[in-house]
Amino acid sequence: MDLSRLIQRSEFEWELPQKGNMRVPGVLYASRALVEAMDEKVYQQVRNVATLPGIVGASYVMPDAHWGYGFPIGGVAAFDPEQGGVVSAGGVGFDISCGVRLLHTGLTIEQVRPILPDLMDALFNTIPAGVGSVGQIHLSDLRMSEMLRGGAWWAVEQGWGLAEDLDHIEEHGRMAGAMPEHVSHHARRRQADEMGTLGSGNHYLELQQVTDLYDTDTANRFGLKPGEVVISIHCGSRGLGHQIGTEFLLEMVKAAKTAGIALVDRELACAPAQSEVGQRYLGAMRAATNCALANREIITHLTRQTFAEMVSEAALTLLYDVSHNTCKEEIHTVQGRARKLLVHRKGATRAFGPGNAELPQEFRDSGQPVLIGGSMGTASYVLAGLAENEDKSFGSACHGSGRAMSRRHARQLWQGRKLVDDLRGQGIHVRSPSMRGVAEEAPGAYKDVDRVVESAEMAGLARRVARLRPLGVVKG
Amino acid sequence: MGWELFYHEADEGIRGEGKTLSEAFEQAAIALTAVVTEPDLVIPRIPVPIEVSDDDPELLFLAFLNAIIFEMAVRRMLFHHINITIDGPELRGTAYGELVDIDRHQPAVEVKGATATELFVGQKSGRWRAQCVVDV
């Protein structure tokens, strides 16, 4: 990205000035090097988002931002429904409520290392992953509606989860306002065999070792210790969310026109939040969020079963579950006035700081855990939310390292089998049904997660708590 | 070859070209398979009907791709090729493919949906072109 069009506000904050049909400025949080490396399309997409009706504050960009569709991946925008603000299917994306959860194991690296290859084999055999995979749970229409209302609560009620997990999930495990009646027959069909499946692409289950602590006090509160083995699970709302995104994106292209909204890019597809289409989308999108929460809870259940069979000393407890493709109704103070806003985070994580009433009691003093996924061969991070971020990006942070090259380019540079062998040489055991998929997800195809997280901390979006090194990966 | 993948940083651009609009759509459908696997690895043994409509040719293209993506997802199939006819807003045709075979196809990624990013349906240098970015 050409920096000459930006105003540098601080070392890690850049303003894209409001001009033309922009209603607000753009704000990018990243180091000079990361902003320079961003695609020119990110610049255009930040500007485009700033033209949407009812946007509040600015069109924000997180340090891992890259070219998305409509909104940039790593984009955050809030809209005020009372001021004609919109809700945008393009601003949430296809994989509604895709997210990450982190589980403690109660095990040390010394306990896990001898059994790591067998453990990875067992996890790979237990958790359906990859294109065409199906789960063991098949839902009738009635039960699917119950799942879409209940989220992780429903999974726990069915015996596929633990009640103590629920308070450690955003929305306390169940998104209010879900309207399963607005989830189409097609979306339900796509989900019929996909409960408890990991998916493909950048989705994974990863065993990790805590290697570094940056904030010992918060790490203690989060229960993270050096040498502990933890588990990250990254996946979303599977086919149901994809289909809802697909259907509403096309419907909102037309709805925007009907509402007199001139879209500079059709991918910004949106509707006034208070319109019939807007309300219907919010109901369906919230149902898809519950699908994602239930799905991660079920995968956690399968993971617990596997560990119980392999390592009797293991105790898998949930640190936290965050979603990073969302639209949430939140109350934020803007220029001294509390306003109810629809905050879109597309490839961005909620990062609420200390004192936020949305957080469970145990995180009220520390801020919420913010989980940042890496790639197969690179680190992941646990951060904590900061109260002052409320004024920076409505309490948001990055979600991963962000891709740095296309899948095709990655395929040309790496071979899946060789990559798996090389990673094994580094002590990282990869299990995947597709070597082509592994090549496309090569660690080198992503930005340097260390630099991304450093930017997030330096920009005041969240503070580093712990660094995690991969030990084993089940890749879809 | 009348199809290709084009650059997108995180997802994949698919493009089909041909002498007719239908041919451009058919070629783009092969590019859609190429996002997942090598199209030549797919055996066209099972026919699946595809039928969509839209007055806007670009939205018709998205509806066409989304119909294929839906069939891929619910039938656990990959498609070798698709034959279609377009009559005004109506598109009808048959996709030919087989069930996913993990070992043989080595499918890299699921396609979630077709996006309006880089969406174009029209003529370029006397040939029909249909393209967009698909989310993976």
PDB file of all heavy atoms in Angstrom, chain A residues 41 67-69 194 200 238 246 254 266-267 405 408 433-436, chain B residues 5 8-9 34-35 54 58 66 76 106-107 110 115-118 135:
ATOM      1  N   LYS A  41      -5.679  -3.234  -2.691  1.00  0.00           N
ATOM      2  CA  LYS A  41      -7.121  -3.475  -2.588  1.00  0.00           C
ATOM      3  C   LYS A  41      -7.620  -3.219  -1.168  1.00  0.00           C
ATOM      4  O   LYS A  41      -8.782  -2.887  -0.965  1.00  0.00           O
ATOM      5  CB  LYS A  41      -7.438  -4.918  -2.974  1.00  0.00           C
ATOM      6  CG  LYS A  41      -7.085  -5.276  -4.400  1.00  0.00           C
ATOM      7  CD  LYS A  41      -8.156  -4.848  -5.365  1.00  0.00           C
ATOM      8  CE  LYS A  41      -7.859  -5.422  -6.740  1.00  0.00           C
ATOM      9  NZ  LYS A  41      -8.864  -5.004  -7.742  1.00  0.00           N
ATOM     10  N   TRP A  67      -6.618  -8.379   1.595  1.00  0.00           N
ATOM     11  CA  TRP A  67      -7.689  -8.184   0.625  1.00  0.00           C
ATOM     12  C   TRP A  67      -8.781  -9.223   0.850  1.00  0.00           C
ATOM     13  O   TRP A  67      -8.522 -10.426   0.763  1.00  0.00           O
ATOM     14  CB  TRP A  67      -7.089  -8.308  -0.780  1.00  0.00           C
ATOM     15  CG  TRP A  67      -8.059  -8.173  -1.906  1.00  0.00           C
ATOM     16  CD1 TRP A  67      -9.276  -7.576  -1.892  1.00  0.00           C
ATOM     17  CD2 TRP A  67      -7.857  -8.643  -3.247  1.00  0.00           C
ATOM     18  NE1 TRP A  67      -9.852  -7.643  -3.125  1.00  0.00           N
ATOM     19  CE2 TRP A  67      -9.009  -8.283  -3.978  1.00  0.00           C
ATOM     20  CE3 TRP A  67      -6.821  -9.308  -3.895  1.00  0.00           C
ATOM     21  CZ2 TRP A  67      -9.144  -8.586  -5.333  1.00  0.00           C
ATOM     22  CZ3 TRP A  67      -6.963  -9.609  -5.240  1.00  0.00           C
ATOM     23  CH2 TRP A  67      -8.101  -9.253  -5.956  1.00  0.00           C
ATOM     24  N   GLY A  68      -9.990  -8.746   1.155  1.00  0.00           N
ATOM     25  CA  GLY A  68     -11.104  -9.661   1.323  1.00  0.00           C
ATOM     26  C   GLY A  68     -12.094  -9.501   0.193  1.00  0.00           C
ATOM     27  O   GLY A  68     -11.707  -9.256  -0.953  1.00  0.00           O
ATOM     28  N   TYR A  69     -13.374  -9.611   0.498  1.00  0.00           N
ATOM     29  CA  TYR A  69     -14.404  -9.330  -0.495  1.00  0.00           C
ATOM     30  C   TYR A  69     -15.384  -8.363   0.154  1.00  0.00           C
ATOM     31  O   TYR A  69     -15.989  -8.644   1.178  1.00  0.00           O
ATOM     32  CB  TYR A  69     -15.071 -10.607  -1.002  1.00  0.00           C
ATOM     33  CG  TYR A  69     -15.315 -11.644   0.059  1.00  0.00           C
ATOM     34  CD1 TYR A  69     -16.553 -11.739   0.666  1.00  0.00           C
ATOM     35  CD2 TYR A  69     -14.297 -12.500   0.465  1.00  0.00           C
ATOM     36  CE1 TYR A  69     -16.777 -12.667   1.656  1.00  0.00           C
ATOM     37  CE2 TYR A  69     -14.516 -13.430   1.456  1.00  0.00           C
ATOM     38  CZ  TYR A  69     -15.755 -13.511   2.048  1.00  0.00           C
ATOM     39  OH  TYR A  69     -15.979 -14.436   3.043  1.00  0.00           O
ATOM     40  N   GLU A 194     -22.827 -32.159   8.894  1.00  0.00           N
ATOM     41  CA  GLU A 194     -21.564 -31.467   9.171  1.00  0.00           C
ATOM     42  C   GLU A 194     -21.365 -31.042  10.612  1.00  0.00           C
ATOM     43  O   GLU A 194     -20.388 -30.351  10.924  1.00  0.00           O
ATOM     44  CB  GLU A 194     -21.407 -30.257   8.226  1.00  0.00           C
ATOM     45  CG  GLU A 194     -21.264 -30.677   6.772  1.00  0.00           C
ATOM     46  CD  GLU A 194     -20.737 -29.577   5.861  1.00  0.00           C
ATOM     47  OE1 GLU A 194     -20.629 -28.418   6.299  1.00  0.00           O
ATOM     48  OE2 GLU A 194     -20.438 -29.900   4.692  1.00  0.00           O
ATOM     49  N   SER A 200     -12.131 -27.309   6.184  1.00  0.00           N
ATOM     50  CA  SER A 200     -10.875 -27.412   5.422  1.00  0.00           C
ATOM     51  C   SER A 200     -10.199 -26.042   5.389  1.00  0.00           C
ATOM     52  O   SER A 200     -10.537 -25.161   6.166  1.00  0.00           O
ATOM     53  CB  SER A 200     -11.179 -27.911   4.006  1.00  0.00           C
ATOM     54  OG  SER A 200     -12.002 -26.967   3.347  1.00  0.00           O
ATOM     55  N   ARG A 238     -19.630 -23.945   9.416  1.00  0.00           N
ATOM     56  CA  ARG A 238     -19.703 -24.967   8.378  1.00  0.00           C
ATOM     57  C   ARG A 238     -20.715 -24.597   7.275  1.00  0.00           C
ATOM     58  O   ARG A 238     -20.955 -23.432   7.043  1.00  0.00           O
ATOM     59  CB  ARG A 238     -19.999 -26.330   9.006  1.00  0.00           C
ATOM     60  CG  ARG A 238     -19.068 -26.686  10.198  1.00  0.00           C
ATOM     61  CD  ARG A 238     -17.632 -26.878   9.733  1.00  0.00           C
ATOM     62  NE  ARG A 238     -17.560 -27.998   8.804  1.00  0.00           N
ATOM     63  CZ  ARG A 238     -17.216 -27.880   7.511  1.00  0.00           C
ATOM     64  NH1 ARG A 238     -16.894 -26.703   7.018  1.00  0.00           N
ATOM     65  NH2 ARG A 238     -17.168 -28.918   6.739  1.00  0.00           N
ATOM     66  N   THR A 246     -24.204 -16.845   1.539  1.00  0.00           N
ATOM     67  CA  THR A 246     -24.448 -16.852   0.092  1.00  0.00           C
ATOM     68  C   THR A 246     -25.809 -16.244  -0.240  1.00  0.00           C
ATOM     69  O   THR A 246     -25.923 -15.364  -1.109  1.00  0.00           O
ATOM     70  CB  THR A 246     -24.404 -18.314  -0.424  1.00  0.00           C
ATOM     71  OG1 THR A 246     -23.089 -18.831  -0.234  1.00  0.00           O
ATOM     72  CG2 THR A 246     -24.777 -18.396  -1.885  1.00  0.00           C
ATOM     73  N   LYS A 254     -29.686  -6.613  -3.872  1.00  0.00           N
ATOM     74  CA  LYS A 254     -30.939  -6.037  -4.363  1.00  0.00           C
ATOM     75  C   LYS A 254     -31.600  -5.162  -3.296  1.00  0.00           C
ATOM     76  O   LYS A 254     -32.179  -4.124  -3.605  1.00  0.00           O
ATOM     77  CB  LYS A 254     -31.870  -7.158  -4.803  1.00  0.00           C
ATOM     78  CG  LYS A 254     -31.323  -7.912  -6.018  1.00  0.00           C
ATOM     79  CD  LYS A 254     -32.151  -9.128  -6.382  1.00  0.00           C
ATOM     80  CE  LYS A 254     -31.533  -9.816  -7.608  1.00  0.00           C
ATOM     81  NZ  LYS A 254     -32.166 -11.099  -7.934  1.00  0.00           N
ATOM     82  N   ARG A 266     -20.504  -4.140  -5.101  1.00  0.00           N
ATOM     83  CA  ARG A 266     -21.679  -4.949  -4.771  1.00  0.00           C
ATOM     84  C   ARG A 266     -21.423  -5.883  -3.583  1.00  0.00           C
ATOM     85  O   ARG A 266     -22.330  -6.325  -2.905  1.00  0.00           O
ATOM     86  CB  ARG A 266     -22.110  -5.778  -5.984  1.00  0.00           C
ATOM     87  CG  ARG A 266     -23.045  -5.017  -6.894  1.00  0.00           C
ATOM     88  CD  ARG A 266     -23.362  -5.825  -8.104  1.00  0.00           C
ATOM     89  NE  ARG A 266     -22.155  -6.081  -8.891  1.00  0.00           N
ATOM     90  CZ  ARG A 266     -22.168  -6.576 -10.110  1.00  0.00           C
ATOM     91  NH1 ARG A 266     -23.306  -6.894 -10.676  1.00  0.00           N
ATOM     92  NH2 ARG A 266     -21.046  -6.756 -10.772  1.00  0.00           N
ATOM     93  N   GLU A 267     -20.141  -6.172  -3.359  1.00  0.00           N
ATOM     94  CA  GLU A 267     -19.802  -7.084  -2.277  1.00  0.00           C
ATOM     95  C   GLU A 267     -20.057  -6.455  -0.904  1.00  0.00           C
ATOM     96  O   GLU A 267     -20.019  -7.137   0.122  1.00  0.00           O
ATOM     97  CB  GLU A 267     -18.340  -7.506  -2.415  1.00  0.00           C
ATOM     98  CG  GLU A 267     -17.978  -8.772  -1.701  1.00  0.00           C
ATOM     99  CD  GLU A 267     -18.708 -10.016  -2.211  1.00  0.00           C
ATOM    100  OE1 GLU A 267     -18.965 -10.092  -3.428  1.00  0.00           O
ATOM    101  OE2 GLU A 267     -19.011 -10.876  -1.399  1.00  0.00           O
ATOM    102  N   MET A 405       0.190 -14.520   0.588  1.00  0.00           N
ATOM    103  CA  MET A 405       0.217 -14.891  -0.836  1.00  0.00           C
ATOM    104  C   MET A 405      -0.969 -15.792  -1.149  1.00  0.00           C
ATOM    105  O   MET A 405      -1.588 -16.362  -0.256  1.00  0.00           O
ATOM    106  CB  MET A 405       1.529 -15.579  -1.206  1.00  0.00           C
ATOM    107  CG  MET A 405       1.690 -16.976  -0.655  1.00  0.00           C
ATOM    108  SD  MET A 405       3.153 -17.819  -1.294  1.00  0.00           S
ATOM    109  CE  MET A 405       4.472 -16.873  -0.539  1.00  0.00           C
ATOM    110  N   ARG A 408      -2.609 -20.448  -4.935  1.00  0.00           N
ATOM    111  CA  ARG A 408      -1.940 -20.963  -6.136  1.00  0.00           C
ATOM    112  C   ARG A 408      -0.435 -20.744  -6.050  1.00  0.00           C
ATOM    113  O   ARG A 408       0.365 -21.618  -6.376  1.00  0.00           O
ATOM    114  CB  ARG A 408      -2.519 -20.267  -7.376  1.00  0.00           C
ATOM    115  CG  ARG A 408      -2.107 -20.912  -8.683  1.00  0.00           C
ATOM    116  CD  ARG A 408      -3.134 -20.599  -9.751  1.00  0.00           C
ATOM    117  NE  ARG A 408      -3.385 -19.170  -9.822  1.00  0.00           N
ATOM    118  CZ  ARG A 408      -3.064 -18.413 -10.867  1.00  0.00           C
ATOM    119  NH1 ARG A 408      -2.473 -18.947 -11.901  1.00  0.00           N
ATOM    120  NH2 ARG A 408      -3.339 -17.128 -10.879  1.00  0.00           N
ATOM    121  N   PRO A 433      -5.808 -34.929   5.369  1.00  0.00           N
ATOM    122  CA  PRO A 433      -6.203 -35.824   4.274  1.00  0.00           C
ATOM    123  C   PRO A 433      -5.663 -35.357   2.922  1.00  0.00           C
ATOM    124  O   PRO A 433      -5.688 -36.115   1.959  1.00  0.00           O
ATOM    125  CB  PRO A 433      -7.734 -35.749   4.298  1.00  0.00           C
ATOM    126  CG  PRO A 433      -8.041 -34.437   4.933  1.00  0.00           C
ATOM    127  CD  PRO A 433      -6.934 -34.164   5.900  1.00  0.00           C
ATOM    128  N   SER A 434      -5.188 -34.114   2.821  1.00  0.00           N
ATOM    129  CA  SER A 434      -4.824 -33.569   1.510  1.00  0.00           C
ATOM    130  C   SER A 434      -3.444 -32.915   1.535  1.00  0.00           C
ATOM    131  O   SER A 434      -3.245 -31.899   2.209  1.00  0.00           O
ATOM    132  CB  SER A 434      -5.868 -32.527   1.076  1.00  0.00           C
ATOM    133  OG  SER A 434      -5.431 -31.842  -0.074  1.00  0.00           O
ATOM    134  N   MET A 435      -2.514 -33.473   0.775  1.00  0.00           N
ATOM    135  CA  MET A 435      -1.187 -32.853   0.692  1.00  0.00           C
ATOM    136  C   MET A 435      -1.241 -31.547  -0.095  1.00  0.00           C
ATOM    137  O   MET A 435      -0.478 -30.624   0.154  1.00  0.00           O
ATOM    138  CB  MET A 435      -0.194 -33.828   0.060  1.00  0.00           C
ATOM    139  CG  MET A 435       0.180 -34.992   0.954  1.00  0.00           C
ATOM    140  SD  MET A 435       0.859 -34.463   2.569  1.00  0.00           S
ATOM    141  CE  MET A 435      -0.505 -34.752   3.675  1.00  0.00           C
ATOM    142  N   ARG A 436      -2.162 -31.468  -1.059  1.00  0.00           N
ATOM    143  CA  ARG A 436      -2.329 -30.190  -1.752  1.00  0.00           C
ATOM    144  C   ARG A 436      -2.817 -29.126  -0.772  1.00  0.00           C
ATOM    145  O   ARG A 436      -2.355 -27.979  -0.802  1.00  0.00           O
ATOM    146  CB  ARG A 436      -3.324 -30.348  -2.913  1.00  0.00           C
ATOM    147  CG  ARG A 436      -3.676 -29.030  -3.567  1.00  0.00           C
ATOM    148  CD  ARG A 436      -4.526 -29.189  -4.816  1.00  0.00           C
ATOM    149  NE  ARG A 436      -5.257 -27.948  -5.065  1.00  0.00           N
ATOM    150  CZ  ARG A 436      -5.921 -27.659  -6.165  1.00  0.00           C
ATOM    151  NH1 ARG A 436      -5.958 -28.522  -7.158  1.00  0.00           N
ATOM    152  NH2 ARG A 436      -6.557 -26.520  -6.303  1.00  0.00           N
TER     153      ARG A 436
ATOM    154  N   LEU B   5      -7.470 -19.816 -13.211  1.00  0.00           N
ATOM    155  CA  LEU B   5      -7.594 -19.232 -11.882  1.00  0.00           C
ATOM    156  C   LEU B   5      -6.842 -17.917 -11.902  1.00  0.00           C
ATOM    157  O   LEU B   5      -5.777 -17.831 -12.504  1.00  0.00           O
ATOM    158  CB  LEU B   5      -6.986 -20.170 -10.827  1.00  0.00           C
ATOM    159  CG  LEU B   5      -7.587 -21.578 -10.761  1.00  0.00           C
ATOM    160  CD1 LEU B   5      -6.858 -22.422  -9.717  1.00  0.00           C
ATOM    161  CD2 LEU B   5      -9.067 -21.516 -10.430  1.00  0.00           C
ATOM    162  N   HIS B   8      -6.071 -13.827  -6.202  1.00  0.00           N
ATOM    163  CA  HIS B   8      -6.680 -13.159  -5.053  1.00  0.00           C
ATOM    164  C   HIS B   8      -5.856 -13.569  -3.849  1.00  0.00           C
ATOM    165  O   HIS B   8      -5.454 -14.724  -3.733  1.00  0.00           O
ATOM    166  CB  HIS B   8      -8.142 -13.561  -4.862  1.00  0.00           C
ATOM    167  CG  HIS B   8      -8.824 -12.792  -3.760  1.00  0.00           C
ATOM    168  ND1 HIS B   8      -8.767 -13.193  -2.454  1.00  0.00           N
ATOM    169  CD2 HIS B   8      -9.536 -11.644  -3.774  1.00  0.00           C
ATOM    170  CE1 HIS B   8      -9.441 -12.322  -1.709  1.00  0.00           C
ATOM    171  NE2 HIS B   8      -9.921 -11.369  -2.490  1.00  0.00           N
ATOM    172  N   GLU B   9      -5.609 -12.607  -2.936  1.00  0.00           N
ATOM    173  CA  GLU B   9      -4.646 -12.843  -1.864  1.00  0.00           C
ATOM    174  C   GLU B   9      -5.041 -14.012  -0.962  1.00  0.00           C
ATOM    175  O   GLU B   9      -4.212 -14.855  -0.618  1.00  0.00           O
ATOM    176  CB  GLU B   9      -4.500 -11.573  -1.029  1.00  0.00           C
ATOM    177  CG  GLU B   9      -3.252 -11.553  -0.169  1.00  0.00           C
ATOM    178  CD  GLU B   9      -3.015 -10.173   0.432  1.00  0.00           C
ATOM    179  OE1 GLU B   9      -3.959  -9.382   0.521  1.00  0.00           O
ATOM    180  OE2 GLU B   9      -1.857  -9.907   0.812  1.00  0.00           O
ATOM    181  N   ALA B  34     -11.220 -26.690 -10.261  1.00  0.00           N
ATOM    182  CA  ALA B  34      -9.761 -26.574 -10.147  1.00  0.00           C
ATOM    183  C   ALA B  34      -9.328 -25.915  -8.840  1.00  0.00           C
ATOM    184  O   ALA B  34      -8.179 -26.082  -8.408  1.00  0.00           O
ATOM    185  CB  ALA B  34      -9.200 -25.795 -11.336  1.00  0.00           C
ATOM    186  N   VAL B  35     -10.222 -25.164  -8.216  1.00  0.00           N
ATOM    187  CA  VAL B  35      -9.906 -24.593  -6.905  1.00  0.00           C
ATOM    188  C   VAL B  35      -9.718 -25.714  -5.882  1.00  0.00           C
ATOM    189  O   VAL B  35      -8.906 -25.615  -4.966  1.00  0.00           O
ATOM    190  CB  VAL B  35     -11.048 -23.647  -6.438  1.00  0.00           C
ATOM    191  CG1 VAL B  35     -10.865 -23.213  -4.999  1.00  0.00           C
ATOM    192  CG2 VAL B  35     -11.133 -22.438  -7.367  1.00  0.00           C
ATOM    193  N   ASP B  54     -32.032 -15.661 -13.254  1.00  0.00           N
ATOM    194  CA  ASP B  54     -31.904 -14.268 -12.803  1.00  0.00           C
ATOM    195  C   ASP B  54     -31.862 -13.378 -14.047  1.00  0.00           C
ATOM    196  O   ASP B  54     -31.253 -13.746 -15.048  1.00  0.00           O
ATOM    197  CB  ASP B  54     -30.642 -14.056 -11.966  1.00  0.00           C
ATOM    198  CG  ASP B  54     -30.780 -12.834 -11.059  1.00  0.00           C
ATOM    199  OD1 ASP B  54     -30.894 -11.699 -11.587  1.00  0.00           O
ATOM    200  OD2 ASP B  54     -30.810 -13.021  -9.827  1.00  0.00           O
ATOM    201  N   GLU B  58     -24.817 -11.180 -14.494  1.00  0.00           N
ATOM    202  CA  GLU B  58     -23.788 -11.376 -13.475  1.00  0.00           C
ATOM    203  C   GLU B  58     -24.357 -12.093 -12.251  1.00  0.00           C
ATOM    204  O   GLU B  58     -23.712 -12.988 -11.684  1.00  0.00           O
ATOM    205  CB  GLU B  58     -23.154 -10.035 -13.082  1.00  0.00           C
ATOM    206  CG  GLU B  58     -22.329  -9.451 -14.236  1.00  0.00           C
ATOM    207  CD  GLU B  58     -21.540  -8.225 -13.860  1.00  0.00           C
ATOM    208  OE1 GLU B  58     -21.987  -7.504 -12.934  1.00  0.00           O
ATOM    209  OE2 GLU B  58     -20.493  -7.980 -14.495  1.00  0.00           O
ATOM    210  N   ASN B  66     -23.204 -20.842  -7.263  1.00  0.00           N
ATOM    211  CA  ASN B  66     -23.684 -21.232  -5.931  1.00  0.00           C
ATOM    212  C   ASN B  66     -24.495 -22.525  -5.982  1.00  0.00           C
ATOM    213  O   ASN B  66     -24.480 -23.312  -5.036  1.00  0.00           O
ATOM    214  CB  ASN B  66     -24.498 -20.099  -5.306  1.00  0.00           C
ATOM    215  CG  ASN B  66     -23.603 -18.981  -4.790  1.00  0.00           C
ATOM    216  OD1 ASN B  66     -22.477 -19.233  -4.357  1.00  0.00           O
ATOM    217  ND2 ASN B  66     -24.078 -17.753  -4.852  1.00  0.00           N
ATOM    218  N   ARG B  76     -21.410 -34.351  -1.559  1.00  0.00           N
ATOM    219  CA  ARG B  76     -19.991 -34.733  -1.406  1.00  0.00           C
ATOM    220  C   ARG B  76     -19.418 -35.120  -2.764  1.00  0.00           C
ATOM    221  O   ARG B  76     -18.807 -36.167  -2.940  1.00  0.00           O
ATOM    222  CB  ARG B  76     -19.845 -35.903  -0.428  1.00  0.00           C
ATOM    223  CG  ARG B  76     -19.595 -35.496   0.989  1.00  0.00           C
ATOM    224  CD  ARG B  76     -20.814 -35.058   1.704  1.00  0.00           C
ATOM    225  NE  ARG B  76     -20.457 -34.439   2.983  1.00  0.00           N
ATOM    226  CZ  ARG B  76     -21.238 -33.593   3.616  1.00  0.00           C
ATOM    227  NH1 ARG B  76     -22.385 -33.221   3.099  1.00  0.00           N
ATOM    228  NH2 ARG B  76     -20.866 -33.068   4.751  1.00  0.00           N
ATOM    229  N   GLN B 106      -7.290 -35.657  -3.602  1.00  0.00           N
ATOM    230  CA  GLN B 106      -6.528 -34.780  -2.704  1.00  0.00           C
ATOM    231  C   GLN B 106      -7.153 -33.384  -2.654  1.00  0.00           C
ATOM    232  O   GLN B 106      -6.484 -32.363  -2.916  1.00  0.00           O
ATOM    233  CB  GLN B 106      -5.071 -34.695  -3.160  1.00  0.00           C
ATOM    234  CG  GLN B 106      -4.277 -35.958  -2.891  1.00  0.00           C
ATOM    235  CD  GLN B 106      -4.026 -36.152  -1.385  1.00  0.00           C
ATOM    236  OE1 GLN B 106      -3.268 -35.423  -0.782  1.00  0.00           O
ATOM    237  NE2 GLN B 106      -4.701 -37.124  -0.793  1.00  0.00           N
ATOM    238  N   PRO B 107      -8.438 -33.307  -2.336  1.00  0.00           N
ATOM    239  CA  PRO B 107      -9.122 -32.000  -2.384  1.00  0.00           C
ATOM    240  C   PRO B 107      -8.539 -31.023  -1.366  1.00  0.00           C
ATOM    241  O   PRO B 107      -8.431 -31.347  -0.181  1.00  0.00           O
ATOM    242  CB  PRO B 107     -10.574 -32.355  -2.061  1.00  0.00           C
ATOM    243  CG  PRO B 107     -10.485 -33.626  -1.275  1.00  0.00           C
ATOM    244  CD  PRO B 107      -9.302 -34.375  -1.802  1.00  0.00           C
ATOM    245  N   GLU B 110     -12.677 -26.615   0.735  1.00  0.00           N
ATOM    246  CA  GLU B 110     -14.084 -26.464   0.372  1.00  0.00           C
ATOM    247  C   GLU B 110     -14.301 -25.063  -0.195  1.00  0.00           C
ATOM    248  O   GLU B 110     -13.702 -24.111   0.296  1.00  0.00           O
ATOM    249  CB  GLU B 110     -14.973 -26.587   1.606  1.00  0.00           C
ATOM    250  CG  GLU B 110     -14.974 -27.928   2.284  1.00  0.00           C
ATOM    251  CD  GLU B 110     -15.559 -27.835   3.685  1.00  0.00           C
ATOM    252  OE1 GLU B 110     -15.148 -26.944   4.447  1.00  0.00           O
ATOM    253  OE2 GLU B 110     -16.400 -28.654   4.003  1.00  0.00           O
ATOM    254  N   THR B 115     -18.511 -14.949  -4.646  1.00  0.00           N
ATOM    255  CA  THR B 115     -18.609 -13.553  -4.208  1.00  0.00           C
ATOM    256  C   THR B 115     -18.762 -12.618  -5.409  1.00  0.00           C
ATOM    257  O   THR B 115     -18.497 -13.010  -6.554  1.00  0.00           O
ATOM    258  CB  THR B 115     -17.364 -13.111  -3.412  1.00  0.00           C
ATOM    259  OG1 THR B 115     -16.315 -12.762  -4.337  1.00  0.00           O
ATOM    260  CG2 THR B 115     -16.865 -14.208  -2.481  1.00  0.00           C
ATOM    261  N   ALA B 116     -19.147 -11.388  -5.143  1.00  0.00           N
ATOM    262  CA  ALA B 116     -19.266 -10.383  -6.202  1.00  0.00           C
ATOM    263  C   ALA B 116     -17.939  -9.659  -6.439  1.00  0.00           C
ATOM    264  O   ALA B 116     -17.879  -8.724  -7.239  1.00  0.00           O
ATOM    265  CB  ALA B 116     -20.363  -9.384  -5.850  1.00  0.00           C
ATOM    266  N   THR B 117     -16.899 -10.093  -5.764  1.00  0.00           N
ATOM    267  CA  THR B 117     -15.583  -9.480  -5.966  1.00  0.00           C
ATOM    268  C   THR B 117     -15.015  -9.871  -7.330  1.00  0.00           C
ATOM    269  O   THR B 117     -15.046 -11.048  -7.691  1.00  0.00           O
ATOM    270  CB  THR B 117     -14.623  -9.925  -4.844  1.00  0.00           C
ATOM    271  OG1 THR B 117     -15.137  -9.457  -3.599  1.00  0.00           O
ATOM    272  CG2 THR B 117     -13.223  -9.376  -5.048  1.00  0.00           C
ATOM    273  N   GLU B 118     -14.570  -8.874  -8.088  1.00  0.00           N
ATOM    274  CA  GLU B 118     -14.030  -9.079  -9.441  1.00  0.00           C
ATOM    275  C   GLU B 118     -15.070  -9.737 -10.352  1.00  0.00           C
ATOM    276  O   GLU B 118     -14.711 -10.391 -11.341  1.00  0.00           O
ATOM    277  CB  GLU B 118     -12.754  -9.929  -9.408  1.00  0.00           C
ATOM    278  CG  GLU B 118     -11.640  -9.359  -8.549  1.00  0.00           C
ATOM    279  CD  GLU B 118     -11.023  -8.086  -9.118  1.00  0.00           C
ATOM    280  OE1 GLU B 118     -10.648  -8.088 -10.297  1.00  0.00           O
ATOM    281  OE2 GLU B 118     -10.948  -7.090  -8.369  1.00  0.00           O
ATOM    282  N   ASP B 135     -15.057 -17.724  -2.304  1.00  0.00           N
ATOM    283  CA  ASP B 135     -14.525 -17.772  -0.931  1.00  0.00           C
ATOM    284  C   ASP B 135     -14.200 -19.217  -0.568  1.00  0.00           C
ATOM    285  O   ASP B 135     -15.030 -20.108  -0.768  1.00  0.00           O
ATOM    286  CB  ASP B 135     -15.563 -17.199   0.035  1.00  0.00           C
ATOM    287  CG  ASP B 135     -15.011 -17.061   1.446  1.00  0.00           C
ATOM    288  OD1 ASP B 135     -13.788 -16.906   1.597  1.00  0.00           O
ATOM    289  OD2 ASP B 135     -15.795 -17.118   2.396  1.00  0.00           O
TER     290      ASP B 135
END
